[in-house]
Amino acid sequence: MAQITPEVVLSYTKPASGYLCPLNANTFGIEFLKFEIKEYDTNTVVYQVAREPDSEPLPEVLDPEIEDMIRSVKYTFPASFLKFKTVRTLLEFCVGPQPVSNLRMIERHFFKDKLVRTYDFEFGFCIPNSTNSWEAIYDVPEYPAGVINDYVTSPWAHKSDSFYFVDNKLIMHNKAEYQYVQD
Amino acid sequence: MRVLMVGLDNAGKTTIVKRLNGEDITTISPTLGFNIKTMSFKGYKLNIWDIGGQKTLRPYWRNYYEKTDALIWVVDSADLARLEDCRAELHNLLREERLFGATLLIFANKQDIASALPVAELEKALNIGSITKRHCRVVACSAVDGSGLLEGFDFVVHDISSRIYLFS
């Protein structure tokens, strides 16, 4: 299998099929502890999930269904989310006893198999045994009414791949699907 | 613009960034790694890297110097017992070659506390007068009441942008 590099995933024109690295590629013990999405202006929480770090490592062999449960998320958002002007996202994660030299996240969003957005962020170095956070406050472009309607009437057509690299080597790959419901 | 925020533990680095955004500052725990904040300020996109200041974390600061446009050093102006420690760490940092070109802002934080050292005295204690060859400003502030924060960040973005303009 060809090496999956940032350049490779940035060239994808539709969602990846399957997971491009095994769960145990994450030899750094990177674990997500919290993820939060808020509307900035009203401080309204749209999505929030938090967990404690794993007390035990995952077993070597996992049932594919269980692996999918761990690696993919289905989000249901209110349609009003598509009208927010400014969004605040918060990601909290911890790392294991080894230093992580160059952590980079690339997230690709597709709607109906067309690329709609790319997030590319370099965290850089992570201190051994540290807990870190990244909070981003960003303006969302205004969607035309027709586009919003298209998202609402096409549940799960919005998909994303999140890739995490350490020194340009893929160590984590997760997926998400989204649906928007009228509120 | 990449902004690196460091200083001794409990100086108020995380609280300053949160207060700048009007967030709740009632419960803030010690930073055991980094907190990155991506935000826009006065039309500029800032990436603020707030790194934990505990003694065990300080040796790792060097991993965050690369590409830094501005350095914000935060001082607990009321922590008189550790001023010498604070002075030594600051001057250590300023010897770092990768930070030579960075704008320097020193936040004299916790000015809302009665026993806080005023800026003039703090400058003496931290030997700010010896800092030459770089754009440097000391700004009195309080992350609790918000005073001084805008002035400090205004200086940072103006100084960086004037430099970028100069070289482009």
Side-chain angles (χ1 to χ4, degrees), chain B residues 17-28:
Chain B
V17 183
K18 284 198 175 266
R19 189 63 172 77
L20 184 70
N21 271 292
E23 287 165 55
D24 181 24
I25 55 165
T26 45
T27 51
I28 290 173

Side-chain angles (χ1 to χ4, degrees), chain A residues 123 125 132-135 137, chain B residues 34-38 49 64:
Chain A
F123 295 91
F125 180 83
N132 308 291
S133 76
W134 174 37
E135 192 177 354
I137 299 167
Chain B
F34 58 66
N35 296 314
I36 305 167
K37 185 92 133 200
T38 302
W49 297 70
Y64 300 95

Side-chain angles (χ1 to χ4, degrees), chain A residues 77-159:
Chain A
F77 290 137
S80 58
F81 179 68
L82 297 165
K83 292 176 193 157
F84 290 171
K85 288 194 173 69
T86 310
V87 169
R88 167 192 270 163
T89 60
L90 173 74
L91 176 69
E92 214 176 270
F93 62 96
C94 62
V95 310
Q98 285 181 69
V100 176
S101 52
N102 189 18
L103 179 65
R104 177 174 175 185
M105 181 208 79
I106 297 176
E107 192 168 284
R108 305 271 282 173
H109 286 255
F110 301 91
F111 182 66
K112 294 184 174 172
D113 283 356
K114 251 182 68 188
L115 181 70
V116 287
R117 191 174 280 193
T118 300
Y119 299 98
D120 187 347
F121 191 81
E122 276 191 47
F123 295 91
F125 180 83
C126 303
I127 298 170
N129 296 310
S130 60
T131 300
N132 308 291
S133 76
W134 174 37
E135 192 177 354
I137 299 167
Y138 55 91
D139 292 329
V140 186
E142 203 178 314
Y143 295 103
V147 173
I148 292 179
N149 192 48
D150 206 8
Y151 273 82
V152 172
T153 53
S154 319
W156 317 121
H158 175 191
K159 298 176 197 292

Side-chain angles (χ1 to χ4, degrees), chain A residues 3-132:
Chain A
Q3 173 111 14
I4 308 293
T5 62
E7 290 67 35
V8 169
V9 305
L10 285 170
S11 71
Y12 290 157
T13 52
K14 56 182 202 297
S17 60
Y19 298 103
L20 303 184
C21 68
L23 270 175
N24 63 16
N26 177 11
T27 54
F28 296 92
I30 296 174
E31 282 184 52
F32 299 117
L33 305 176
K34 190 176 179 183
F35 182 55
E36 201 177 82
I37 305 173
K38 282 181 177 179
E39 182 184 21
Y40 180 71
D41 299 305
T42 60
N43 212 27
T44 311
V45 176
V46 184
Y47 182 81
Q48 196 172 40
V49 59
R51 57 185 281 273
E52 294 296 315
D54 285 333
S55 49
E56 278 174 45
L58 290 165
E60 276 296 306
V61 183
L62 273 177
D63 188 74
E65 269 174 45
I66 293 175
E67 177 169 354
D68 209 45
M69 246 170 61
I70 296 171
R71 306 184 71 168
S72 73
V73 194
K74 286 195 165 197
Y75 294 100
T76 298
F77 290 137
S80 58
F81 179 68
L82 297 165
K83 292 176 193 157
F84 290 171
K85 288 194 173 69
T86 310
V87 169
R88 167 192 270 163
T89 60
L90 173 74
L91 176 69
E92 214 176 270
F93 62 96
C94 62
V95 310
Q98 285 181 69
V100 176
S101 52
N102 189 18
L103 179 65
R104 177 174 175 185
M105 181 208 79
I106 297 176
E107 192 168 284
R108 305 271 282 173
H109 286 255
F110 301 91
F111 182 66
K112 294 184 174 172
D113 283 356
K114 251 182 68 188
L115 181 70
V116 287
R117 191 174 280 193
T118 300
Y119 299 98
D120 187 347
F121 191 81
E122 276 191 47
F123 295 91
F125 180 83
C126 303
I127 298 170
N129 296 310
S130 60
T131 300
N132 308 291

